[in-house]
Amino acid sequence: MTAKTNRPGKASKSPASALVDPVREANEPTSLLARFGPERPLGMDCGVTLDRWQIAYQTYGTLNADRSNAVLVCHALTGDQHVANTNPVTGKSGWWEVLIGPGCPIDTDRYFVICSNVIGGCLGSTGPASLDPATGKVYGLSFPLVTIRDMVRAQAVLVEHLGIASLFAVIGGSMGGMQVLQWASSYPDRVFAAVPLATAARHSAQNIAFHEVGRQAVMADPDWQGGRYLDGAKRPSKGLSVARMGAHITYLSEAALHRKFGRNLQDREARTFTFDADFQVESYLRYQGISFVERFDANSYLYLTRAMDYFDLAADHTGVLAKAFAGSKTRFCVASFTSDWLFPTADSRAIVHALNASGASVSFVELESDKGHDAFLLDEPELFATLRGFIGAAARVRGLS
Amino acid sequence: MSDVRIDLSLIADMVEPGSKVLDVGCGDGALLALLASRRHVDARGIELSREGVAGCVARGLSVIQGDADTDLGDYPDDAFDYVILSQTIQATRAPRRVLENMLRIGRRAIVSFPNFGHWNIRAQLAFKGRMPVTSNLPESWHDTPNIHFCTIRDFVGLCDTLGAVTERAVALNASGSDIGVKAPWWFWNLFGQQAVFLLRRTGPASPP
């Protein structure tokens, strides 16, 4: 894969705000990169094996002498590996800098933090925007369907590659939380503490429905071109933007939208009797949609939403979720948010009940917030206090000073 | 350890070292922390209040936010060596079902509760004609979370109904001293301000 650098479909004009070309970023990321060949193939749930694949990642802090202080951060649907550094594509700060950094609840002065781009993503780990080594062209829809377990398998290879036999903690929210649960289930001996936030052990029918609307919006855009858009210059920006607008609503709450925007008009005194963005909330959503397409690959969005839809940890264990954690020695800390209607507290309680039934050590708290699903990414002092306590106590048991 | 509440200390003494314990309604985790440090138990808790849970987790305790009335049913039989209900049974909606679940999911159950048969409480009701307010039950009737008060005799009656065996029972008087085991029940019921019972079931955990 290293030899193929012909950069097909290089965007004719990058959006003004993009600092790095996203197509280039998918193959040659501004990131640490681990490449694997036929000696370390990646077998996937769909039956396909990737003989050549790569995983892009960032690290923060220092691995201690006995390699016992590594924390793996799993990103959500549209996140990436740039968890605590300036994002090279958007120029914005890392997506979880409130939680991860020197002196933060996940203290990079104490822990060695790893965050990798998921398989199927578009910021340097192999995905639909990557070049297929067999053809030299972008995979597009010929890329195999990815599952949460595939993502975790790839991360496990990376962690091994970094010489880490056991992770101190695995943490993530939403799709990241699904990966945390999968890690704890697939590799119980390699996870000392697990922190699945605002997540579920299976994607609900309602959430699959929302994802389907998003995918249909992408595929209805003529510029999507059956997924082959990276061969040319056009991008399904309209469709992906609409998908993002719809999804973004599900990340918020009625109360948060009302508090932020109410029925306020955008830069105008009165209604215009047109379909312009009269309301602030419309203007905000349009901005969210437009800024998203500058940094995210439309096919990746299809693949990763599908991976979440397919996730059902109990189904892999004869329908009994507790069996996924049987005999687990991992310490769990589960948290949900009162206003999160995408991954409601009931989903977290189902995880907690299964962990209790399997005898695992688990803490659970439902945190008060009106910020909806996105609360896990925001400055939530109660979340930080809980995590600081949980991680600190786990570190003491682990013997980390 | 001199600042440890006498009833908590008493419960800690009933627990075998190294066992697995669930404290239902664990509050700020004081008992769990005591059990972890003094008896080296695998300490777990359930607590209704968010502040309580957050405080417990920050102390390194495994505590879930939950409700004794609704969440005990989710635990499998014999999941714990001890299930403890400390000064909480009177605040549950269905004390009998809570106790049944405790006896099912724990090999032993420990229950401590304020005795509503204490002479001071009887006197307030008898002579003032008002709902009792005491130092250890300070809330007025309209403010109190305690909706199912019982006397020591009432509790013994419930244990008999459920076929639970009392392995140990202690009543504490107002100054916190143990009322002698030789004392008859009526004496306990009149002079015990609170009581602590160590129970076990006789039959199988769940009916076949």
Side-chain angles (χ1 to χ4, degrees), chain A residues 331 333 338 349 352-353 356-357 359-368 382 386 389-390 393 396, chain B residues 20 42 44-45 50-51 53-54 57-67 71 74-76 79-80:
Chain A
R331 307 158 71 89
C333 181
T338 49
R349 282 204 179 278
V352 171
H353 289 159
N356 277 334
S361 165
V362 54
S363 292
F364 164 67
V365 62
E366 181 191 36
L367 299 160
E368 180 85 42
E382 263 194 283
T386 303
F390 174 78
R396 284 194 296 280
Chain B
K20 189 172 177 182
D42 180 350
R44 311 285 175 88
R50 187 175 295 124
E51 299 74 25
V53 178
V57 174
R59 294 169 87 150
L61 298 165
S62 293
V63 172
I64 67 165
Q65 195 176 0
D67 186 339
D71 293 333
D74 297 315
Y75 289 90
F80 298 93

mmCIF file of all heavy atoms in Angstrom, chain A residues 331 333 338 349 352-353 356-357 359-368 382 386 389-390 393 396, chain B residues 20 42 44-45 50-51 53-54 57-67 71 74-76 79-80:
data_model
loop_
_atom_site.group_PDB
_atom_site.id
_atom_site.type_symbol
_atom_site.label_atom_id
_atom_site.label_comp_id
_atom_site.label_asym_id
_atom_site.label_seq_id
_atom_site.Cartn_x
_atom_site.Cartn_y
_atom_site.Cartn_z
ATOM 1 N N ARG A 331 -13.349 -3.741 35.653
ATOM 2 C CA ARG A 331 -14.166 -2.809 36.432
ATOM 3 C C ARG A 331 -14.868 -1.876 35.453
ATOM 4 O O ARG A 331 -14.217 -1.252 34.626
ATOM 5 C CB ARG A 331 -13.279 -1.971 37.347
ATOM 6 C CG ARG A 331 -12.344 -2.785 38.227
ATOM 7 C CD ARG A 331 -11.169 -1.957 38.688
ATOM 8 N NE ARG A 331 -11.579 -0.961 39.657
ATOM 9 C CZ ARG A 331 -11.615 -1.173 40.974
ATOM 10 N NH1 ARG A 331 -11.240 -2.326 41.454
ATOM 11 N NH2 ARG A 331 -11.993 -0.228 41.799
ATOM 12 N N CYS A 333 -17.497 1.367 34.510
ATOM 13 C CA CYS A 333 -18.205 2.578 34.932
ATOM 14 C C CYS A 333 -19.103 3.015 33.786
ATOM 15 O O CYS A 333 -18.622 3.406 32.718
ATOM 16 C CB CYS A 333 -17.213 3.684 35.292
ATOM 17 S SG CYS A 333 -18.018 5.196 35.853
ATOM 18 N N THR A 338 -29.688 12.368 31.430
ATOM 19 C CA THR A 338 -31.151 12.409 31.549
ATOM 20 C C THR A 338 -31.846 12.817 30.245
ATOM 21 O O THR A 338 -32.912 12.309 29.937
ATOM 22 C CB THR A 338 -31.587 13.391 32.651
ATOM 23 O OG1 THR A 338 -30.900 14.631 32.469
ATOM 24 C CG2 THR A 338 -31.285 12.843 34.039
ATOM 25 N N ARG A 349 -28.986 1.007 31.528
ATOM 26 C CA ARG A 349 -29.440 0.103 32.590
ATOM 27 C C ARG A 349 -29.405 -1.350 32.124
ATOM 28 O O ARG A 349 -29.097 -2.252 32.913
ATOM 29 C CB ARG A 349 -30.856 0.461 33.031
ATOM 30 C CG ARG A 349 -30.902 1.671 33.938
ATOM 31 C CD ARG A 349 -32.165 1.667 34.815
ATOM 32 N NE ARG A 349 -32.154 2.838 35.679
ATOM 33 C CZ ARG A 349 -31.488 2.906 36.827
ATOM 34 N NH1 ARG A 349 -30.795 1.872 37.260
ATOM 35 N NH2 ARG A 349 -31.507 4.009 37.537
ATOM 36 N N VAL A 352 -25.986 -2.451 32.598
ATOM 37 C CA VAL A 352 -25.693 -2.608 34.032
ATOM 38 C C VAL A 352 -26.326 -3.890 34.576
ATOM 39 O O VAL A 352 -25.695 -4.644 35.326
ATOM 40 C CB VAL A 352 -26.191 -1.375 34.813
ATOM 41 C CG1 VAL A 352 -26.094 -1.609 36.312
ATOM 42 C CG2 VAL A 352 -25.383 -0.144 34.421
ATOM 43 N N HIS A 353 -27.556 -4.155 34.185
ATOM 44 C CA HIS A 353 -28.225 -5.378 34.639
ATOM 45 C C HIS A 353 -27.463 -6.620 34.190
ATOM 46 O O HIS A 353 -27.284 -7.567 34.958
ATOM 47 C CB HIS A 353 -29.663 -5.429 34.117
ATOM 48 C CG HIS A 353 -30.549 -4.424 34.779
ATOM 49 N ND1 HIS A 353 -31.731 -3.990 34.224
ATOM 50 C CD2 HIS A 353 -30.407 -3.736 35.934
ATOM 51 C CE1 HIS A 353 -32.288 -3.094 35.034
ATOM 52 N NE2 HIS A 353 -31.501 -2.923 36.069
ATOM 53 N N ASN A 356 -24.344 -6.919 36.265
ATOM 54 C CA ASN A 356 -24.694 -7.415 37.596
ATOM 55 C C ASN A 356 -24.949 -8.916 37.546
ATOM 56 O O ASN A 356 -24.492 -9.666 38.407
ATOM 57 C CB ASN A 356 -25.946 -6.713 38.119
ATOM 58 C CG ASN A 356 -25.614 -5.369 38.739
ATOM 59 O OD1 ASN A 356 -24.499 -5.156 39.209
ATOM 60 N ND2 ASN A 356 -26.568 -4.470 38.734
ATOM 61 N N ALA A 357 -25.688 -9.327 36.528
ATOM 62 C CA ALA A 357 -26.026 -10.743 36.405
ATOM 63 C C ALA A 357 -24.770 -11.586 36.207
ATOM 64 O O ALA A 357 -24.720 -12.736 36.623
ATOM 65 C CB ALA A 357 -26.996 -10.953 35.251
ATOM 66 N N GLY A 359 -21.944 -10.811 37.519
ATOM 67 C CA GLY A 359 -21.112 -10.652 38.716
ATOM 68 C C GLY A 359 -19.972 -9.668 38.557
ATOM 69 O O GLY A 359 -19.105 -9.580 39.412
ATOM 70 N N ALA A 360 -19.980 -8.919 37.461
ATOM 71 C CA ALA A 360 -18.882 -7.977 37.222
ATOM 72 C C ALA A 360 -18.985 -6.775 38.163
ATOM 73 O O ALA A 360 -20.049 -6.468 38.682
ATOM 74 C CB ALA A 360 -18.902 -7.508 35.770
ATOM 75 N N SER A 361 -17.854 -6.121 38.359
ATOM 76 C CA SER A 361 -17.823 -4.914 39.179
ATOM 77 C C SER A 361 -18.276 -3.740 38.321
ATOM 78 O O SER A 361 -17.668 -3.441 37.295
ATOM 79 C CB SER A 361 -16.397 -4.686 39.681
ATOM 80 O OG SER A 361 -16.265 -3.378 40.179
ATOM 81 N N VAL A 362 -19.369 -3.100 38.744
ATOM 82 C CA VAL A 362 -19.901 -2.030 37.895
ATOM 83 C C VAL A 362 -20.408 -0.860 38.732
ATOM 84 O O VAL A 362 -21.036 -1.044 39.774
ATOM 85 C CB VAL A 362 -21.019 -2.557 36.956
ATOM 86 C CG1 VAL A 362 -22.103 -3.262 37.722
ATOM 87 C CG2 VAL A 362 -21.620 -1.442 36.111
ATOM 88 N N SER A 363 -20.082 0.329 38.254
ATOM 89 C CA SER A 363 -20.680 1.547 38.784
ATOM 90 C C SER A 363 -21.545 2.151 37.692
ATOM 91 O O SER A 363 -21.225 2.049 36.509
ATOM 92 C CB SER A 363 -19.598 2.557 39.184
ATOM 93 O OG SER A 363 -18.881 2.071 40.290
ATOM 94 N N PHE A 364 -22.630 2.752 38.108
ATOM 95 C CA PHE A 364 -23.518 3.380 37.116
ATOM 96 C C PHE A 364 -24.117 4.641 37.683
ATOM 97 O O PHE A 364 -24.569 4.655 38.832
ATOM 98 C CB PHE A 364 -24.648 2.428 36.717
ATOM 99 C CG PHE A 364 -25.778 3.131 36.007
ATOM 100 C CD1 PHE A 364 -25.587 3.681 34.750
ATOM 101 C CD2 PHE A 364 -27.008 3.293 36.619
ATOM 102 C CE1 PHE A 364 -26.616 4.366 34.108
ATOM 103 C CE2 PHE A 364 -28.045 3.977 35.986
ATOM 104 C CZ PHE A 364 -27.841 4.508 34.725
ATOM 105 N N VAL A 365 -24.131 5.693 36.881
ATOM 106 C CA VAL A 365 -24.810 6.904 37.299
ATOM 107 C C VAL A 365 -25.495 7.558 36.095
ATOM 108 O O VAL A 365 -24.959 7.562 34.981
ATOM 109 C CB VAL A 365 -23.848 7.898 38.001
ATOM 110 C CG1 VAL A 365 -22.744 8.359 37.075
ATOM 111 C CG2 VAL A 365 -24.598 9.081 38.588
ATOM 112 N N GLU A 366 -26.710 8.017 36.334
ATOM 113 C CA GLU A 366 -27.410 8.806 35.314
ATOM 114 C C GLU A 366 -27.181 10.270 35.664
ATOM 115 O O GLU A 366 -27.558 10.724 36.744
ATOM 116 C CB GLU A 366 -28.907 8.498 35.318
ATOM 117 C CG GLU A 366 -29.656 9.288 34.251
ATOM 118 C CD GLU A 366 -31.178 9.204 34.387
ATOM 119 O OE1 GLU A 366 -31.673 9.165 35.536
ATOM 120 O OE2 GLU A 366 -31.854 9.184 33.354
ATOM 121 N N LEU A 367 -26.540 10.995 34.757
ATOM 122 C CA LEU A 367 -26.163 12.372 35.040
ATOM 123 C C LEU A 367 -27.218 13.333 34.531
ATOM 124 O O LEU A 367 -27.814 13.129 33.467
ATOM 125 C CB LEU A 367 -24.809 12.671 34.395
ATOM 126 C CG LEU A 367 -23.675 11.782 34.919
ATOM 127 C CD1 LEU A 367 -22.501 11.751 33.960
ATOM 128 C CD2 LEU A 367 -23.231 12.243 36.290
ATOM 129 N N GLU A 368 -27.433 14.385 35.318
ATOM 130 C CA GLU A 368 -28.443 15.388 34.979
ATOM 131 C C GLU A 368 -27.849 16.359 33.948
ATOM 132 O O GLU A 368 -26.815 16.991 34.200
ATOM 133 C CB GLU A 368 -28.798 16.163 36.260
ATOM 134 C CG GLU A 368 -29.829 17.237 36.089
ATOM 135 C CD GLU A 368 -31.227 16.668 36.201
ATOM 136 O OE1 GLU A 368 -31.456 15.825 37.080
ATOM 137 O OE2 GLU A 368 -32.083 17.083 35.394
ATOM 138 N N GLU A 382 -20.161 17.028 36.505
ATOM 139 C CA GLU A 382 -20.544 15.791 37.215
ATOM 140 C C GLU A 382 -19.910 14.558 36.574
ATOM 141 O O GLU A 382 -19.502 13.631 37.264
ATOM 142 C CB GLU A 382 -22.066 15.636 37.208
ATOM 143 C CG GLU A 382 -22.736 16.124 38.468
ATOM 144 C CD GLU A 382 -24.171 15.619 38.532
ATOM 145 O OE1 GLU A 382 -25.037 16.184 37.827
ATOM 146 O OE2 GLU A 382 -24.422 14.662 39.277
ATOM 147 N N THR A 386 -17.137 12.102 38.378
ATOM 148 C CA THR A 386 -17.347 10.657 38.435
ATOM 149 C C THR A 386 -16.158 9.920 37.815
ATOM 150 O O THR A 386 -15.622 8.968 38.384
ATOM 151 C CB THR A 386 -18.647 10.272 37.701
ATOM 152 O OG1 THR A 386 -19.722 11.006 38.293
ATOM 153 C CG2 THR A 386 -18.927 8.794 37.791
ATOM 154 N N GLY A 389 -12.969 10.111 39.860
ATOM 155 C CA GLY A 389 -13.033 9.192 40.991
ATOM 156 C C GLY A 389 -12.829 7.754 40.555
ATOM 157 O O GLY A 389 -12.023 7.021 41.122
ATOM 158 N N PHE A 390 -13.535 7.360 39.513
ATOM 159 C CA PHE A 390 -13.468 5.974 39.042
ATOM 160 C C PHE A 390 -12.066 5.625 38.552
ATOM 161 O O PHE A 390 -11.495 4.595 38.924
ATOM 162 C CB PHE A 390 -14.494 5.743 37.933
ATOM 163 C CG PHE A 390 -14.401 4.384 37.304
ATOM 164 C CD1 PHE A 390 -14.916 3.268 37.946
ATOM 165 C CD2 PHE A 390 -13.782 4.212 36.073
ATOM 166 C CE1 PHE A 390 -14.828 2.010 37.371
ATOM 167 C CE2 PHE A 390 -13.676 2.951 35.498
ATOM 168 C CZ PHE A 390 -14.199 1.859 36.141
ATOM 169 N N ALA A 393 -9.479 5.581 41.410
ATOM 170 C CA ALA A 393 -9.588 4.380 42.243
ATOM 171 C C ALA A 393 -9.044 3.166 41.499
ATOM 172 O O ALA A 393 -8.330 2.335 42.078
ATOM 173 C CB ALA A 393 -11.050 4.159 42.636
ATOM 174 N N ARG A 396 -5.313 3.172 41.547
ATOM 175 C CA ARG A 396 -4.747 2.729 42.825
ATOM 176 C C ARG A 396 -4.711 1.198 42.884
ATOM 177 O O ARG A 396 -3.715 0.601 43.290
ATOM 178 C CB ARG A 396 -5.564 3.281 44.003
ATOM 179 C CG ARG A 396 -5.301 4.759 44.290
ATOM 180 C CD ARG A 396 -5.841 5.170 45.642
ATOM 181 N NE ARG A 396 -7.286 5.072 45.770
ATOM 182 C CZ ARG A 396 -8.141 5.993 45.304
ATOM 183 N NH1 ARG A 396 -7.690 7.065 44.688
ATOM 184 N NH2 ARG A 396 -9.433 5.831 45.459
ATOM 185 N N LYS B 20 -18.401 -11.234 49.653
ATOM 186 C CA LYS B 20 -18.947 -10.350 48.625
ATOM 187 C C LYS B 20 -20.251 -9.749 49.146
ATOM 188 O O LYS B 20 -21.170 -10.486 49.505
ATOM 189 C CB LYS B 20 -19.177 -11.146 47.337
ATOM 190 C CG LYS B 20 -19.539 -10.266 46.159
ATOM 191 C CD LYS B 20 -19.557 -11.082 44.870
ATOM 192 C CE LYS B 20 -19.986 -10.197 43.710
ATOM 193 N NZ LYS B 20 -20.073 -10.925 42.444
ATOM 194 N N ASP B 42 -15.472 -7.609 48.944
ATOM 195 C CA ASP B 42 -15.760 -7.117 47.598
ATOM 196 C C ASP B 42 -17.056 -6.319 47.742
ATOM 197 O O ASP B 42 -18.143 -6.885 47.846
ATOM 198 C CB ASP B 42 -15.927 -8.319 46.656
ATOM 199 C CG ASP B 42 -16.222 -7.892 45.220
ATOM 200 O OD1 ASP B 42 -16.484 -6.701 44.993
ATOM 201 O OD2 ASP B 42 -16.192 -8.774 44.335
ATOM 202 N N ARG B 44 -20.103 -3.817 46.965
ATOM 203 C CA ARG B 44 -20.959 -3.267 45.894
ATOM 204 C C ARG B 44 -22.123 -2.524 46.552
ATOM 205 O O ARG B 44 -22.513 -2.857 47.671
ATOM 206 C CB ARG B 44 -21.534 -4.384 45.019
ATOM 207 C CG ARG B 44 -20.522 -5.402 44.534
ATOM 208 C CD ARG B 44 -19.658 -4.839 43.423
ATOM 209 N NE ARG B 44 -18.607 -5.780 43.037
ATOM 210 C CZ ARG B 44 -18.753 -6.733 42.114
ATOM 211 N NH1 ARG B 44 -19.908 -6.857 41.493
ATOM 212 N NH2 ARG B 44 -17.771 -7.544 41.808
ATOM 213 N N GLY B 45 -22.672 -1.558 45.830
ATOM 214 C CA GLY B 45 -23.783 -0.816 46.412
ATOM 215 C C GLY B 45 -24.830 -0.399 45.394
ATOM 216 O O GLY B 45 -24.580 -0.365 44.187
ATOM 217 N N ARG B 50 -28.308 10.576 43.026
ATOM 218 C CA ARG B 50 -27.202 10.784 42.105
ATOM 219 C C ARG B 50 -25.958 11.259 42.872
ATOM 220 O O ARG B 50 -24.845 10.819 42.615
ATOM 221 C CB ARG B 50 -27.629 11.839 41.083
ATOM 222 C CG ARG B 50 -26.682 12.067 39.967
ATOM 223 C CD ARG B 50 -27.290 13.038 38.977
ATOM 224 N NE ARG B 50 -28.474 12.479 38.351
ATOM 225 C CZ ARG B 50 -29.680 13.038 38.353
ATOM 226 N NH1 ARG B 50 -29.880 14.170 38.969
ATOM 227 N NH2 ARG B 50 -30.692 12.462 37.756
ATOM 228 N N GLU B 51 -26.171 12.143 43.844
ATOM 229 C CA GLU B 51 -25.039 12.683 44.605
ATOM 230 C C GLU B 51 -24.352 11.556 45.376
ATOM 231 O O GLU B 51 -23.127 11.486 45.439
ATOM 232 C CB GLU B 51 -25.513 13.752 45.603
ATOM 233 C CG GLU B 51 -26.180 14.965 44.966
ATOM 234 C CD GLU B 51 -27.590 14.669 44.448
ATOM 235 O OE1 GLU B 51 -28.232 13.725 44.963
ATOM 236 O OE2 GLU B 51 -28.038 15.353 43.518
ATOM 237 N N VAL B 53 -24.303 8.324 44.636
ATOM 238 C CA VAL B 53 -23.569 7.447 43.720
ATOM 239 C C VAL B 53 -22.258 8.100 43.297
ATOM 240 O O VAL B 53 -21.193 7.476 43.344
ATOM 241 C CB VAL B 53 -24.413 7.124 42.466
ATOM 242 C CG1 VAL B 53 -23.609 6.262 41.507
ATOM 243 C CG2 VAL B 53 -25.693 6.413 42.854
ATOM 244 N N ALA B 54 -22.348 9.380 42.904
ATOM 245 C CA ALA B 54 -21.139 10.065 42.436
ATOM 246 C C ALA B 54 -20.082 10.080 43.538
ATOM 247 O O ALA B 54 -18.901 9.841 43.280
ATOM 248 C CB ALA B 54 -21.484 11.483 41.992
ATOM 249 N N VAL B 57 -18.596 6.487 43.852
ATOM 250 C CA VAL B 57 -17.700 6.153 42.743
ATOM 251 C C VAL B 57 -16.374 6.888 42.921
ATOM 252 O O VAL B 57 -15.298 6.340 42.699
ATOM 253 C CB VAL B 57 -18.349 6.490 41.383
ATOM 254 C CG1 VAL B 57 -17.364 6.280 40.240
ATOM 255 C CG2 VAL B 57 -19.583 5.629 41.170
ATOM 256 N N ALA B 58 -16.473 8.140 43.381
ATOM 257 C CA ALA B 58 -15.257 8.923 43.609
ATOM 258 C C ALA B 58 -14.402 8.310 44.722
ATOM 259 O O ALA B 58 -13.200 8.522 44.758
ATOM 260 C CB ALA B 58 -15.611 10.365 43.943
ATOM 261 N N ARG B 59 -15.030 7.546 45.638
ATOM 262 C CA ARG B 59 -14.265 6.855 46.680
ATOM 263 C C ARG B 59 -13.735 5.519 46.196
ATOM 264 O O ARG B 59 -13.134 4.775 46.954
ATOM 265 C CB ARG B 59 -15.160 6.567 47.904
ATOM 266 C CG ARG B 59 -15.635 7.792 48.633
ATOM 267 C CD ARG B 59 -16.705 7.437 49.645
ATOM 268 N NE ARG B 59 -16.129 7.057 50.928
ATOM 269 C CZ ARG B 59 -16.767 7.260 52.091
ATOM 270 N NH1 ARG B 59 -17.950 7.831 52.111
ATOM 271 N NH2 ARG B 59 -16.215 6.897 53.216
ATOM 272 N N GLY B 60 -14.042 5.200 44.956
ATOM 273 C CA GLY B 60 -13.550 3.947 44.395
ATOM 274 C C GLY B 60 -14.451 2.761 44.654
ATOM 275 O O GLY B 60 -14.049 1.616 44.491
ATOM 276 N N LEU B 61 -15.684 3.027 45.056
ATOM 277 C CA LEU B 61 -16.633 1.948 45.322
ATOM 278 C C LEU B 61 -17.454 1.646 44.071
ATOM 279 O O LEU B 61 -17.712 2.530 43.261
ATOM 280 C CB LEU B 61 -17.574 2.362 46.460
ATOM 281 C CG LEU B 61 -16.891 2.640 47.801
ATOM 282 C CD1 LEU B 61 -17.843 3.382 48.728
ATOM 283 C CD2 LEU B 61 -16.414 1.339 48.435
ATOM 284 N N SER B 62 -17.838 0.376 43.915
ATOM 285 C CA SER B 62 -18.680 -0.011 42.781
ATOM 286 C C SER B 62 -20.135 0.155 43.175
ATOM 287 O O SER B 62 -20.708 -0.705 43.830
ATOM 288 C CB SER B 62 -18.414 -1.464 42.394
ATOM 289 O OG SER B 62 -17.126 -1.592 41.887
ATOM 290 N N VAL B 63 -20.716 1.260 42.763
ATOM 291 C CA VAL B 63 -22.082 1.581 43.168
ATOM 292 C C VAL B 63 -22.896 1.949 41.943
ATOM 293 O O VAL B 63 -22.425 2.679 41.074
ATOM 294 C CB VAL B 63 -22.078 2.744 44.176
ATOM 295 C CG1 VAL B 63 -23.492 3.224 44.454
ATOM 296 C CG2 VAL B 63 -21.407 2.309 45.474
ATOM 297 N N ILE B 64 -24.111 1.415 41.868
ATOM 298 C CA ILE B 64 -24.971 1.784 40.748
ATOM 299 C C ILE B 64 -26.158 2.582 41.257
ATOM 300 O O ILE B 64 -26.631 2.388 42.380
ATOM 301 C CB ILE B 64 -25.464 0.567 39.943
ATOM 302 C CG1 ILE B 64 -26.407 -0.304 40.773
ATOM 303 C CG2 ILE B 64 -24.296 -0.251 39.423
ATOM 304 C CD1 ILE B 64 -27.173 -1.281 39.933
ATOM 305 N N GLN B 65 -26.601 3.494 40.416
ATOM 306 C CA GLN B 65 -27.776 4.274 40.748
ATOM 307 C C GLN B 65 -28.983 3.375 40.520
ATOM 308 O O GLN B 65 -29.178 2.846 39.422
ATOM 309 C CB GLN B 65 -27.848 5.505 39.854
ATOM 310 C CG GLN B 65 -28.804 6.538 40.359
ATOM 311 C CD GLN B 65 -28.762 7.776 39.498
ATOM 312 O OE1 GLN B 65 -28.011 7.847 38.528
ATOM 313 N NE2 GLN B 65 -29.575 8.740 39.821
ATOM 314 N N GLY B 66 -29.761 3.161 41.562
ATOM 315 C CA GLY B 66 -30.880 2.254 41.418
ATOM 316 C C GLY B 66 -31.787 2.311 42.624
ATOM 317 O O GLY B 66 -31.556 3.084 43.559
ATOM 318 N N ASP B 67 -32.796 1.473 42.600
ATOM 319 C CA ASP B 67 -33.885 1.540 43.552
ATOM 320 C C ASP B 67 -34.095 0.141 44.148
ATOM 321 O O ASP B 67 -34.262 -0.825 43.407
ATOM 322 C CB ASP B 67 -35.129 2.001 42.772
ATOM 323 C CG ASP B 67 -36.325 2.247 43.668
ATOM 324 O OD1 ASP B 67 -36.362 1.716 44.787
ATOM 325 O OD2 ASP B 67 -37.242 2.968 43.224
ATOM 326 N N ASP B 71 -34.880 -2.733 41.465
ATOM 327 C CA ASP B 71 -33.678 -3.244 40.811
ATOM 328 C C ASP B 71 -33.107 -4.523 41.412
ATOM 329 O O ASP B 71 -32.253 -5.156 40.802
ATOM 330 C CB ASP B 71 -32.593 -2.167 40.788
ATOM 331 C CG ASP B 71 -32.992 -0.996 39.883
ATOM 332 O OD1 ASP B 71 -33.781 -1.243 38.948
ATOM 333 O OD2 ASP B 71 -32.554 0.134 40.118
ATOM 334 N N ASP B 74 -33.230 -7.932 39.417
ATOM 335 C CA ASP B 74 -32.353 -8.223 38.284
ATOM 336 C C ASP B 74 -31.124 -9.037 38.660
ATOM 337 O O ASP B 74 -30.392 -9.493 37.796
ATOM 338 C CB ASP B 74 -31.885 -6.917 37.630
ATOM 339 C CG ASP B 74 -33.058 -6.142 37.068
ATOM 340 O OD1 ASP B 74 -33.906 -6.775 36.419
ATOM 341 O OD2 ASP B 74 -33.131 -4.930 37.295
ATOM 342 N N TYR B 75 -30.874 -9.193 39.972
ATOM 343 C CA TYR B 75 -29.682 -9.951 40.376
ATOM 344 C C TYR B 75 -30.017 -11.438 40.436
ATOM 345 O O TYR B 75 -31.113 -11.817 40.839
ATOM 346 C CB TYR B 75 -29.205 -9.496 41.757
ATOM 347 C CG TYR B 75 -28.588 -8.124 41.777
ATOM 348 C CD1 TYR B 75 -29.371 -6.995 42.003
ATOM 349 C CD2 TYR B 75 -27.221 -7.959 41.568
ATOM 350 C CE1 TYR B 75 -28.804 -5.723 42.028
ATOM 351 C CE2 TYR B 75 -26.652 -6.696 41.590
ATOM 352 C CZ TYR B 75 -27.445 -5.588 41.823
ATOM 353 O OH TYR B 75 -26.886 -4.347 41.833
ATOM 354 N N PRO B 76 -29.052 -12.276 40.033
ATOM 355 C CA PRO B 76 -29.301 -13.731 40.106
ATOM 356 C C PRO B 76 -29.288 -14.222 41.558
ATOM 357 O O PRO B 76 -28.801 -13.533 42.462
ATOM 358 C CB PRO B 76 -28.127 -14.324 39.317
ATOM 359 C CG PRO B 76 -27.075 -13.277 39.296
ATOM 360 C CD PRO B 76 -27.751 -11.948 39.451
ATOM 361 N N ALA B 79 -26.067 -14.231 44.477
ATOM 362 C CA ALA B 79 -25.033 -13.402 43.847
ATOM 363 C C ALA B 79 -24.062 -12.844 44.888
ATOM 364 O O ALA B 79 -22.937 -12.473 44.549
ATOM 365 C CB ALA B 79 -25.669 -12.266 43.059
ATOM 366 N N PHE B 80 -24.508 -12.777 46.148
ATOM 367 C CA PHE B 80 -23.677 -12.175 47.196
ATOM 368 C C PHE B 80 -23.660 -13.057 48.441
ATOM 369 O O PHE B 80 -24.583 -13.838 48.677
ATOM 370 C CB PHE B 80 -24.215 -10.788 47.572
ATOM 371 C CG PHE B 80 -24.191 -9.817 46.431
ATOM 372 C CD1 PHE B 80 -25.314 -9.657 45.614
ATOM 373 C CD2 PHE B 80 -23.052 -9.070 46.151
ATOM 374 C CE1 PHE B 80 -25.274 -8.780 44.538
ATOM 375 C CE2 PHE B 80 -23.008 -8.193 45.083
ATOM 376 C CZ PHE B 80 -24.120 -8.046 44.280
#
